[in-house]
Amino acid sequence: MDLFSPSWAALRRAVAGLADHDFQQPSGCTGWLVRDLVCHLIIDAQDVLITLVTPADTEPTRDAVTYWDLVEAPTGEDPLDALTVRLAAAYEDPELLKFHLDDVGSAAGRAAQLADPAARVSTRGEVLTAGDYLSAYVVEWTLHHLDLVAHLPDVPGPPAGGLSHSRATLEKIAGTAFPPTFRDEDALLIGTGRRAPSSVERDEIGERAASLPFVLG
């Protein structure tokens, strides 16, 4: 939970520093430009706000790791993905996207800081503690921060703490560890299918390479 605030703040700062033309660059999400990804982050922030004020009185059914499911790789043709693209285009001015993310994102950040880690919340038909929910979202922020900078090498990437946490979470979900020679960033990019491993990297991964990618949803 302690990693939520710095991971989210770093991602919002990265978006705030983008130039207008950066929003038209491709992101690391299949079929999405940077503007589409930023629009998705606004929806994510809304989800955080909604979840933190949706209490549950039953035992948790998921934790920070089991919150995630392994799903099929995205094709960019999902109706919700298409809706995000249309919604992002409606903003027209990138400054409006920045403003909306800062507005809703700041509120989500404050709500996270005020949340009781032991409180139970409900989302996606499951129950988690607020601490586990926010811990799971560190993975969301970190992966999308990598998506944001995929074609913007001058934009700062995610903080080291979020990268390390997200790698450890992915390895638990996948039931396998990546080679210790892999940087956390490369383990996440290769592990989630955001880039293909080189022949050398594939050899280092060994038989486990046949199981790639581990797409989280």
Side-chain angles (χ1 to χ4, degrees):
M1 184 170 176
D2 291 341
L3 293 172
F4 179 94
S5 292
S7 295
W8 184 218
L11 179 49
R12 285 160 37 223
R13 282 196 303 271
V15 172
L18 296 178
D20 284 359
H21 60 80
D22 291 333
F23 285 81
Q24 298 302 318
Q25 297 302 310
S27 77
C29 294
T30 302
W32 279 3
L33 301 176
V34 166
R35 73 174 187 189
D36 307 322
L37 173 59
V38 174
C39 185
H40 173 74
L41 294 177
I42 293 171
I43 296 170
D44 269 351
Q46 292 172 337
D47 284 344
V48 170
L49 283 169
I50 291 168
T51 299
L52 291 180
V53 294
T54 305
D57 55 9
T58 58
E59 291 296 316
T61 57
R62 302 266 182 143
D63 60 24
V65 174
T66 59
Y67 171 85
W68 298 103
D69 294 317
L70 293 177
V71 299
E72 294 296 322
T75 63
E77 298 177 358
D78 182 273
L80 288 177
D81 290 347
L83 175 62
T84 299
V85 172
R86 293 197 298 272
L87 181 59
Y91 277 88
E92 295 185 356
D93 184 353
E95 288 301 318
L96 293 176
L97 268 173
K98 286 185 180 182
F99 173 80
H100 199 179
L101 178 62
D102 179 65
D103 192 33
V104 181
S106 295
R110 289 192 296 272
Q113 290 175 335
L114 294 171
D116 175 1
R120 296 168 188 173
V121 296
S122 178
T123 183
R124 305 197 305 187
E126 305 288 350
V127 176
L128 303 87
T129 65
D132 275 342
Y133 173 71
L134 295 173
S135 182
Y137 248 82
V138 173
V139 178
E140 177 83 354
W141 301 148
T142 301
L143 290 176
H144 281 327
H145 201 147
L146 292 173
D147 292 331
L148 181 75
V149 303
H151 300 278
L152 299 172
D154 294 331
V155 177
L163 288 166
S164 177
H165 169 86
S166 299
R167 175 186 183 155
T169 300
L170 178 62
E171 289 179 337
K172 290 176 183 176
I173 295 167
T176 187
F178 292 95
T181 54
F182 280 28
R183 298 183 306 157
D184 293 337
E185 177 178 341
D186 291 324
L188 289 168
L189 292 173
I190 293 170
T192 61
R194 283 167 163 81
R195 79 165 175 85
S198 68
S199 58
V200 173
E201 290 168 331
R202 183 170 287 276
D203 287 344
E204 286 190 71
I205 297 170
E207 294 180 358
R208 295 167 294 177
S211 300
L212 294 173
F214 305 112
V215 181
L216 306 183

